[in-house]
Amino acid sequence: GAVVSQHPSWVICKSGTSVKIECRSLDFQATTMFWYRQFPKQSLMLMATSNEGSKATYEQGVEKDKFLINHASLTLSTLTVTSAHPEDSSFYICSARDLASSYNEQFFGPGTRLTVL
Amino acid sequence: AQRVTQPEKLLSVFKGAPVELKCNYSYSGSPELFWYVQYSRQRLQLLLRHISRESIKGFTADLNKGETSFHLKKPFAQEEDSAMYYCALSGQGGNKLVFGAGTILRVKS
């Protein structure tokens, strides 16, 4: 149980285009999902907290107009990287909290490798 | 402010040797602490949560509030334990996890 999927697993795009990444909780409901960036051999950096039915909460220094988050249902959150540039190339990981769990643990997706040319 | 410190970037041990991955935290309330593991080319997965006081794959971790530590231990390391280990903290009533920088564990044969 508690499986989180991400799509796509990797994407290559041209500079200036937008890319959408989906995060789904497959066997549980998640009112809260999280989006992280991970640079090679580094820890996860929280970008934003995605709340079902309301606006996302962004961490300091993360541009909300650049990284659009939509959490339209209890099992789906999307991250759209708008007008992507090479510096946006990274590994993006989502996670989700199980609505039914009393713990604050998060279940992680496999990540999406974004390369912007 | 919430902070998690993992002082070692890399810990290299021989198979069968004891392992201790250090984690110290800074938080004024009562935290929830976790250890996550990331094996090569795999997703991050939960290894332990302090509330459960469990042993998973031979690993244990005890929350020491006096020393604000949550070190991960295993008496006899195995090669398949080689991975990146992250200590993480969640504050009271909070959703967010704050991660440490991670420690690479390499178990040599």
Side-chain angles (χ1 to χ4, degrees), chain B residues 6-46:
Chain B
Q6 291 180 251
E8 303 140 327
K9 282 192 175 180
L10 171 66
L11 183 63
S12 189
V13 302
F14 283 102
K15 178 182 169 182
V19 170
E20 183 180 53
L21 299 169
K22 291 185 168 46
C23 172
N24 287 89
Y25 67 90
S26 173
Y27 182 65
S28 54
S30 291
E32 253 187 277
L33 283 150
F34 306 90
W35 276 99
Y36 281 84
V37 60
Q38 189 170 30
Y39 299 102
S40 180
R41 301 182 191 278
Q42 293 188 29
R43 72 181 70 194
L44 206 62
Q45 54 187 282
L46 178 68

Side-chain angles (χ1 to χ4, degrees), chain A residues 33-83:
Chain A
M33 291 183 171
F34 304 86
W35 288 97
Y36 296 84
R37 281 181 80 162
Q38 186 178 32
F39 292 100
K41 299 187 179 180
Q42 292 190 30
S43 188
L44 286 77
M45 183 193 82
L46 179 65
M47 297 174 65
T49 302
S50 171
N51 303 299
E52 188 266 336
S54 65
K55 290 183 180 179
T57 306
Y58 290 82
E59 295 299 301
Q60 194 172 11
V62 178
E63 297 175 60
K64 61 181 181 181
D65 295 329
K66 176 137 188 89
F67 298 100
L68 299 178
I69 290 172
N70 184 275
H71 193 153
S73 78
L74 287 174
T75 58
L76 173 64
S77 174
T78 60
L79 168 70
T80 301
V81 183
T82 62
S83 186

Side-chain angles (χ1 to χ4, degrees), chain A residues 92-107:
Chain A
Y92 292 87
I93 303 173
C94 76
S95 70
R97 277 194 64 214
D98 186 346
L99 179 62
S101 173
S102 55
Y103 302 119
N104 279 328
E105 68 204 40
Q106 295 174 19
F107 299 98

Side-chain angles (χ1 to χ4, degrees), chain B residues 40-77:
Chain B
S40 180
R41 301 182 191 278
Q42 293 188 29
R43 72 181 70 194
L44 206 62
Q45 54 187 282
L46 178 68
L47 181 63
L48 286 177
R49 57 174 88 89
H50 92 268
I51 285 179
S52 302
R53 301 182 68 82
E54 56 206 338
S55 173
I56 304 292
K57 298 184 179 183
F59 285 98
T60 58
D62 291 318
L63 177 61
N64 185 322
K65 291 187 178 180
E67 295 183 359
T68 59
S69 69
F70 187 55
H71 303 327
L72 183 67
K73 298 178 184 179
K74 183 169 182 175
F76 308 105

